[in-house]
């Protein structure tokens, strides 16, 4: 699992090329969420795809606060567990009302174990990946990018992302969706994040 970023990039690059052979598109508005964000940035830095990107919205993105997850795999996982627990505390009322959120938690509990060596390697490889240099390349190509986070996101908090952007000399808006923790997009709170992304694209 330690080569997961490279695998995701290769798979996504192949998928985008395949789509391009079936459908003609000169311009794209792209929404990428959480762990998909680093791959999407890498794809649209490539000359082959860059000219087609019009706007991008990144939701609750991975890769913009990698310094927080520095150190060993064990330290990264300990920090992630702590953040997942804090984030879950903001989902308690939603668990009672949102069947999709309950389904997501059941599915994760069955398929992912923080104690499993493969899962550790996969999570660790993603958490330590720093997308900010590639994000800077994307912006230097003149691409319009917006970042949207839940105001109660405890995994990739908006203020933390703002601080890392500023430290890297990147000026980008980081919008916050009121009341939303880090959420799967199919859930009710996740849909609020997606609606904010669509609204942002419609406003330009």
């Amino acid at each position: 699992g330690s080569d997961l970023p490279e695998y995701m990039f290769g798979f996504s690059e192949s998928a985008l090329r395949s789509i391009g052979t079936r459908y003609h598109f000169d311009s794209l508005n792209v929404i990428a969420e959480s762990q998909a964000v680093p791959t999407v940035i890498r794809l649209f830095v490539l000359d082959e795809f860059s000219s087609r990107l019009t706007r991008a919205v990144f939701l609750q993105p991975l890769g913009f606060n990698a310094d927080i997850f520095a150190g060993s795999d064990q330290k990264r996982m300990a920090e992630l567990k702590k953040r997942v627990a804090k984030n879950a505390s903001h989902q308690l009322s939603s668990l009672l009302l949102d069947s999709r959120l309950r389904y997501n938690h059941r599915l994760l509990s069955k398929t992912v174990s923080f104690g499993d060596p493969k899962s550790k390697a996969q999570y660790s490889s993603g958490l330590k990946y720093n997308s900010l240099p590639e994000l800077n390349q994307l912006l230097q190509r003149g691409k319009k990018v917006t970042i949207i986070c839940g105001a109660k996101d405890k995994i990739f908090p908006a203020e933390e992302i703002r601080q890392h952007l500023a430290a890297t000399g990147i000026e980008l808006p980081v919008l916050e969706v009121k009341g939303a923790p880090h959420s799967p997009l199919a859930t009710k709170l996740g849909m609020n994040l997606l609606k904010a992304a669509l609204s942002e694209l419609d406003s330009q």
Side-chain angles (χ1 to χ4, degrees), residues 155-170:
I155 300 178
F156 307 131
E159 187 54 37
E160 201 170 83
I161 289 174
R162 288 191 190 100
Q163 291 170 3
H164 281 75
L165 291 173
T168 315
I170 296 174

Side-chain angles (χ1 to χ4, degrees), residues 61 146-149 157-159 161-163 165 172-176:
T146 303
I147 299 168
I148 298 177
C149 298
E159 187 54 37
I161 289 174
R162 288 191 190 100
Q163 291 170 3
L165 291 173
L172 270 184
V174 182
L175 309 181
E176 296 185 46

Side-chain angles (χ1 to χ4, degrees), residues 2 59 81 117:
S2 58
L59 297 174
K81 287 179 188 178

Side-chain angles (χ1 to χ4, degrees), residues 6-34:
E6 291 303 321
Y7 170 80
M8 289 181 65
F9 174 75
F11 182 90
S12 300
E13 182 182 21
S14 177
L16 188 56
R17 282 205 179 99
S18 179
I19 293 169
T21 63
R22 296 189 180 193
Y23 304 97
H24 177 75
F25 47 84
D26 292 322
S27 63
L28 294 170
N29 289 330
V30 174
I31 297 173
E33 186 258 345
S34 197

Side-chain angles (χ1 to χ4, degrees), residues 118-193:
K118 183 177 179 180
S119 293
K120 282 183 179 180
Q122 290 175 341
Y123 275 104
S124 185
S125 64
L127 291 168
K128 68 182 180 183
Y129 191 89
N130 181 10
S131 290
L132 293 179
E134 290 158 338
L135 174 63
N136 199 28
Q137 291 178 46
L138 195 66
L139 295 172
Q140 287 175 357
R141 288 174 174 262
K143 305 305 177 183
K144 296 179 180 179
V145 175
T146 303
I147 299 168
I148 298 177
C149 298
K152 293 184 177 180
D153 190 327
K154 300 303 178 184
I155 300 178
F156 307 131
E159 187 54 37
E160 201 170 83
I161 289 174
R162 288 191 190 100
Q163 291 170 3
H164 281 75
L165 291 173
T168 315
I170 296 174
E171 296 184 9
L172 270 184
V174 182
L175 309 181
E176 296 185 46
V177 174
K178 185 178 179 181
H182 195 93
S183 305
L185 292 190
T187 63
K188 292 178 180 178
L189 289 172
M191 286 301 295
N192 290 342
L193 292 166

Side-chain angles (χ1 to χ4, degrees), residues 62-144:
L62 170 73
F64 293 174
N65 63 341
D67 289 352
I68 299 299
F69 298 97
S72 65
D73 288 354
Q74 289 74 20
K75 287 183 178 179
R76 267 189 287 279
M77 293 307 296
E79 179 64 27
L80 178 62
K81 287 179 188 178
K82 181 174 70 176
R83 289 177 176 235
V84 167
K86 287 182 178 179
N87 193 73
S89 70
H90 293 284
Q91 295 178 321
L92 294 177
S93 59
S94 295
L95 280 169
L96 299 174
L97 303 172
D98 191 339
S99 60
R100 291 180 178 179
L101 183 59
R102 292 196 299 273
Y103 171 81
N104 181 264
H105 277 264
R106 286 197 302 271
L107 184 63
L108 282 175
S109 67
K110 290 179 180 179
T111 58
V112 176
S113 170
F114 285 148
D116 175 59
K118 183 177 179 180
S119 293
K120 282 183 179 180
Q122 290 175 341
Y123 275 104
S124 185
S125 64
L127 291 168
K128 68 182 180 183
Y129 191 89
N130 181 10
S131 290
L132 293 179
E134 290 158 338
L135 174 63
N136 199 28
Q137 291 178 46
L138 195 66
L139 295 172
Q140 287 175 357
R141 288 174 174 262
K143 305 305 177 183
K144 296 179 180 179

